[in-house]
Amino acid sequence: MYFGGSGKEVGLKENAKCNKEYRLSFTDRAKEIVESLTLNEKVSLMGGNWSLEKMMSEATANESDNHYNKVPYPAGGIEEKGIPPMLFVDGPRGVVCGTGESTCFPVSMLRGATFDTGLEERIGQAIGEEVRAFGGNTFAGVCINLPYNPGWGRSQETYGEESFHLGQMGASLVKGVQSKNVAACVKHYAFNQMEISRFKVSVDCDKRTEREVFLPHFKDCIDAGAASIMSSYNRYKGTQCGHHDYLLNQVLKEEWDFDGFVMSDFIWGVKDTVEAANGGQNIEMCCTRYFGDKLVKAVQDGLVPESRIDDAAFRIIRTLLAFTEADKEDYPKEKFAGNKEHIALAKEAARKGITLLKNDHQVLPFDKATVKTIALIGKLGKKEVIGDWGSSRVFPAYVVTPIEGLKNVAADTQILYCNGSNPEEAKEIARKADAVVFVVGYDHDDEGEYISESENDGYTGAIGGDRLNLGLHEDEIRLIKEVGPVNSNSAAVLMGGNMIMMTEWKDSVNAILMAYYPGMEGGNVIAEILFGDVNPSGKLPFVIPYKESDLPQVNWDTDSQWYDYYHGYTKLEKEGIEPLFPYGFGLSYTEFSLTDAVFFADSENVFAGCKVKNTGLKEGSQVVQMYVGFKNSEVNRPVKILRGFLRVDLNAGEEKDVRISCPVEKLKWYNPDTSGWELEHMEYEIYIGTSSDQKDLLEGTIKL
Ligand code: BGC
């Protein structure tokens, strides 16, 4: 029997010493230390020790000798008092330190498509080891912002559009990282899903949207024991999130009982000494601009109560002491950074996440015996494309490009390459070849972290930004439409951090493979899937509509943005709009049948189960999904929402029993009138299946 869902523990527990209980055992010691410190000393713990000038020079330096984030950035620390510094390392694509050393995993969006919480926990462990290898003690790579519109340039850093799934994946990364006694920092709290406007926008939404759509995944990570959280740059209801009494003090620390520390997003996340300190900010990263002396004076002037400073110092000391003392094991860089096991894990993730969306006439997999020549078309076919060039940029020893991957995997197949700038040349090679592969989509120029020069002290660290339209580049669309029909043995491989519109060109190729940004081994895995050495099993962590206008629209360059309750698949379902590809969808080279569904509930959990059989001829994996529906609700609720999932590996002909569970807690709605979560006592629809499409689901009901 295979169990999955939020009710069950998955993954490994090895070394997992630094959990909340352990951290709380440092309470008395931390209090004593706080009492022994002067005001100046306490405040010194609340600021980063890096400088803006250093960052500027890193941003413009030659990558090989220096780069942003090359070493852990320190904050606080008082050696003589036994207080360790916080040593900050960024992510989530892996560890951003060093050059040519660390492992570049696929971006989180691809990892979201694996729906594999156990794998994400193992990735967390590997990352934890690499953080330790570079001398860090905090990993700020648990990015779980929910892309309200998929054009958000940093969507690649998060796991998908669905809050429940974001919570499960984020919590798994937290557990993995912290099992190596590295504090996991969850970011960016909260409502950070626009890039171009991130430094100025004020987000607003109603209470139910806040509580049911944008905050639950943060709580899931806190409940999983995350020891740190990063406040976001944007404002929420007019207040800077790094100063936000409601978000930081009331919700996070009081309601959710968060025991760790808050840090600001870098340099521009704190804008006012008094507001930030009173609002619950604990560490101003990564340079001290508004805290430090200014904060000491604000306390002396009576504008910030010293108790606020004590609380911050206490949280910082307790957490860092616990992580530092949890184990003193050495993690030599030569042994841990970018080691064989970690690179194998990066490859495993790419194998499990790359998603096959279309495979008409079973054009894929290509047969090595008959495909003797392959036309590879598109500039990305020869490029190292692993994601944006912002703070999450990892510098691995190598990146396998798609063309190199094809050479490695299909050594006897001749590759005819053209970059696609001349469609006639592309047609000519497509005509000659036995199969055609277009590699199209985005790279760091098209989407990613963005810092505008005018807004931020002349600092320009990254290009990218949000996508103003969600389609491929015009020339790529033209290329596929003109060249695709020349050879029907054709596939389009897409690179990108989130949904890419396909309506316009999808009929011009027979196969579509979403590769996201597949990490340092990505080229090999793309080729393995194209030639059938690996059976694809990724599932879309977002919906793909026929029309962009079916999604919520945002103004990317704005001072204020309203978020509605519905987005992604819940919006389309509520409005009765058929998507091009539903949430949770992905094909395989084998077939599966789901039968014998059972649904039941007790006072704590709801359960869905079925038999899953691989009815085809190849081994493969299926992601079984559980959704809960609310037809009988008396309030406005989604048609259905994801409430559990489980990956199952099956040999040809094999059958397994699957059970998925979810706490009843997760079925509640937030009543703004009572400011509380309420369970509706009614009949719920419950579904188990292979995507969110009704056709792929078995249905039943449960009564609560
Ligand atoms: C990003 C954060 C990142 C920080 C440090 C900021 O610009 O928004 O996600 O952790 O830089 O690199």
Side-chain angles (χ1 to χ4, degrees):
M1 187 86 78
Y2 286 76
F3 280 99
S6 58
K8 300 274 173 287
E9 288 283 326
V10 230
L12 307 155
K13 284 263 144 287
E14 173 211 339
N15 254 354
K17 189 166 179 191
C18 212
N19 55 23
K20 185 166 174 178
E21 200 188 331
Y22 177 76
R23 299 198 299 261
L24 295 185
S25 72
F26 285 79
T27 298
D28 291 345
R29 228 172 104 198
K31 275 191 183 150
E32 254 170 54
I33 299 179
V34 174
E35 274 160 28
S36 77
L37 300 178
T38 64
L39 176 62
N40 276 292
E41 284 173 327
K42 287 183 278 192
V43 168
S44 77
L45 300 176
M46 296 173 66
N49 302 333
W50 216 243
S51 77
L52 190 57
E53 293 66 40
K54 266 200 224 165
M55 269 186 59
M56 298 274 206
S57 69
E58 286 161 354
T60 49
N62 176 340
E63 288 162 21
S64 58
D65 58 38
N66 203 2
H67 62 78
Y68 176 61
N69 272 329
K70 189 172 179 188
V71 295
Y73 289 162
I78 307 177
E79 213 183 325
E80 18 349 322
K81 300 275 170 146
I83 305 170
M86 194 262 284
L87 296 162
F88 174 101
V89 171
D90 222 333
R93 210 185 297 167
V95 161
V96 294
C97 298
T99 308
E101 293 164 296
S102 63
T103 307
C104 182
F105 291 93
V107 293
S108 304
M109 191 59 84
L110 180 150
R111 281 145 51 191
T114 69
F115 283 78
D116 190 335
T117 49
L119 171 63
E120 191 59 12
E121 195 166 334
R122 285 188 285 132
I123 290 176
Q125 291 193 317
I127 287 176
E129 290 179 349
E130 296 201 14
V131 170
R132 300 277 300 264
F134 282 96
N137 60 16
T138 304
F139 176 66
V142 188
C143 178
I144 50 161
N145 293 108
L146 179 155
Y148 180 65
N149 176 297
W152 177 39
R154 291 181 76 180
S155 306
Q156 57 189 282
E157 291 186 51
T158 191
Y159 297 101
E161 72 172 41
E162 156 68 57
S163 170
F164 177 84
H165 170 255
L166 279 171
Q168 297 288 299
M169 297 303 290
S172 305
L173 186 62
V174 166
K175 286 190 218 159
V177 167
Q178 293 197 166
S179 75
K180 294 295 167 182
N181 299 323
V182 168
C185 173
V186 180
K187 68 188 187 185
H188 312 75
Y189 181 67
F191 305 98
N192 182 158
Q193 34 271 327
M194 300 175 75
E195 203 48 30
I196 299 169
S197 301
R198 65 178 169 158
F199 299 110
K200 61 179 183 186
V201 69
S202 177
V203 171
D204 206 347
C205 62
D206 66 28
K207 226 5 170 216
R208 282 194 59 202
T209 307
E210 171 199 299
R211 290 302 181 123
E212 294 179 30
V213 182
F214 287 95
L215 295 191
H217 37 285
F218 283 98
K219 179 167 189 299
D220 291 340
C221 290
I222 301 306
D223 288 346
S228 170
I229 200 161
M230 182 189 285
S231 58
S232 57
Y233 284 128
N234 53 283
R235 291 174 292 141
Y236 177 50
K237 294 192 192 290
T239 302
Q240 188 74 26
C241 287
H243 307 174
H244 216 291
D245 176 63
Y246 171 74
L247 286 176
L248 302 179
N249 290 329
Q250 298 177 38
V251 176
L252 175 69
K253 295 178 186 171
E254 284 161 31
E255 254 184 67
W256 297 352
D257 194 28
F258 172 62
D259 66 299
F261 59 82
V262 180
M263 69 172 87
S264 74
D265 202 344
F266 276 33
I267 308 174
W268 307 287
V270 167
K271 294 207 159 120
D272 184 276
T273 307
V274 174
E275 258 196 45
N278 287 335
Q281 186 58 255
N282 298 148
I283 306 184
E284 182 188 17
M285 283 298 285
C286 58
C287 325
T288 300
R289 298 176 8 131
Y290 287 93
F291 282 3
D293 294 345
K294 289 181 189 151
L295 183 51
V296 171
K297 180 156 188 317
V299 177
Q300 286 160 347
D301 291 349
L303 299 171
V304 175
E306 193 159 348
S307 57
R308 278 260 164 250
I309 309 299
D310 290 345
D311 179 60
F314 166 65
R315 287 170 175 276
I316 295 165
I317 294 170
R318 180 171 64 184
T319 311
L320 293 174
L321 268 186
F323 277 96
T324 310
E325 299 204 358
D327 81 68
K328 304 271 183 210
E329 224 172 289
D330 203 21
Y331 284 80
K333 219 199 298 180
E334 315 69 63
K335 190 165 163 215
F336 287 96
N339 69 20
K340 269 213 287 298
E341 291 76 25
H342 296 178
I343 292 177
L345 207 52
K347 199 168 185 176
E348 180 184 340
R351 285 173 171 164
K352 290 178 164 176
I354 291 179
T355 311
L356 181 64
L357 294 175
K358 171 175 172 168
N359 195 15
D360 287 358
H361 318 295
Q362 263 85 51
V363 279
L364 292 182
F366 296 139
D367 181 355
K368 285 183 198 161
T370 55
V371 174
K372 288 292 169 207
T373 358
I374 195 163
L376 182 67
I377 301 171
K379 60 179 187 306
L380 299 185
K382 267 197 174 174
K383 246 186 158 178
E384 299 186 356
V385 190
I386 49 174
D388 83 346
W389 282 9
S391 58
S392 67
R393 185 174 177 190
V394 168
F395 296 81
Y398 65 86
V399 176
V400 181
T401 63
I403 195 165
E404 288 163 357
L406 284 172
K407 285 181 190 156
N408 294 339
V409 168
D412 296 333
T413 299
Q414 192 199 353
I415 301 168
L416 307 173
Y417 172 78
C418 82
N419 67 13
S421 59
N422 176 353
E424 289 312 314
E425 185 193 357
K427 273 188 202 163
E428 206 179 307
I429 63 167
R431 239 178 248 122
K432 278 193 214 152
D434 300 318
V436 180
V437 174
F438 298 92
V439 187
V440 288
Y442 312 128
D443 69 5
H444 60 271
D445 282 330
D446 301 301
E447 59 173 355
E449 190 164 355
Y450 179 84
I451 297 178
S452 71
E453 204 168 341
S454 55
E455 278 169 319
N456 298 305
D457 310 297
Y459 177 93
T460 49
I463 31 182
D466 305 303
R467 284 188 280 152
L468 304 183
N469 83 66
L470 303 174
L472 290 175
H473 301 111
E474 282 301 323
D475 57 339
E476 291 174 326
I477 296 176
R478 222 175 312 125
L479 184 71
I480 297 180
K481 285 171 85 169
E482 280 184 31
V483 183
V486 168
N487 186 330
S488 60
N489 213 17
S490 58
V493 174
L494 305 180
M495 303 285 202
N498 200 331
M499 192 276 284
I500 298 177
M501 289 300 295
M502 301 175 190
T503 317
E504 210 180 329
W505 53 265
K506 67 172 177 24
D507 295 334
S508 303
V509 281
N510 272 321
I512 303 175
L513 197 61
M514 180 67 196
Y516 312 88
Y517 295 120
M520 63 191 292
E521 279 287 332
N524 281 335
V525 178
I526 289 169
E528 287 177 339
I529 293 179
L530 289 173
F531 279 95
D533 296 353
V534 167
N535 190 353
S537 56
K539 297 280 187 160
L540 286 179
F542 43 75
V543 70
I544 305 188
Y546 279 99
K547 297 197 301 267
E548 270 189 50
S549 55
D550 293 338
L551 298 168
Q553 299 302 299
V554 298
N555 177 0
W556 294 113
D557 190 3
T558 184
D559 289 333
S560 65
Q561 180 65 50
W562 175 265
Y563 290 161
D564 275 331
Y565 183 80
Y566 290 102
H567 73 285
Y569 76 87
T570 63
K571 177 171 187 294
L572 269 73
E573 290 190 354
K574 197 72 184 173
E575 294 171 5
I577 299 169
E578 274 289 305
L580 172 60
F581 294 115
Y583 180 88
F585 176 82
L587 298 169
S588 165
Y589 295 150
T590 187
E591 300 284 327
F592 299 93
S593 75
L594 272 64
T595 56
D596 301 287
V598 287
F599 304 102
F600 54 100
D602 59 26
S603 57
E604 281 174 19
N605 289 292
V606 295
F607 300 87
C610 67
K611 288 188 193 301
V612 189
K613 184 168 185 180
N614 179 347
T615 55
L617 299 172
K618 271 181 199 248
E619 67 170 351
S621 304
Q622 181 57 272
V623 176
V624 182
Q625 302 156 43
M626 174 172 92
Y627 294 85
V628 177
F630 305 93
K631 270 189 205 132
N632 297 322
S633 173
E634 286 186 358
V635 287
N636 180 2
R637 300 192 76 174
V639 173
K640 63 178 185 307
I641 41 179
L642 183 76
R643 280 299 177 266
F645 52 86
L646 182 69
R647 265 184 86 91
V648 193
D649 303 327
L650 294 157
N651 291 322
E654 194 182 1
E655 182 174 80
K656 283 178 182 167
D657 271 325
V658 167
R659 292 279 179 276
I660 300 176
S661 70
C662 167
V664 167
E665 264 317 283
K666 286 273 181 200
L667 268 50
K668 291 183 173 173
W669 70 288
Y670 189 82
N671 185 344
D673 295 335
T674 59
S675 300
W677 290 93
E678 289 179 12
L679 181 71
E680 291 186 277
H681 292 286
M682 62 177 192
E683 192 171 81
Y684 293 77
E685 303 82 60
I686 178 157
Y687 308 88
I688 192 161
T690 58
S691 91
S692 61
D693 188 336
Q694 196 76 37
K695 291 195 292 294
D696 295 332
L697 295 167
L698 303 171
E699 182 178 351
T701 55
I702 47 158
K703 226 172 159 140
L704 291 173

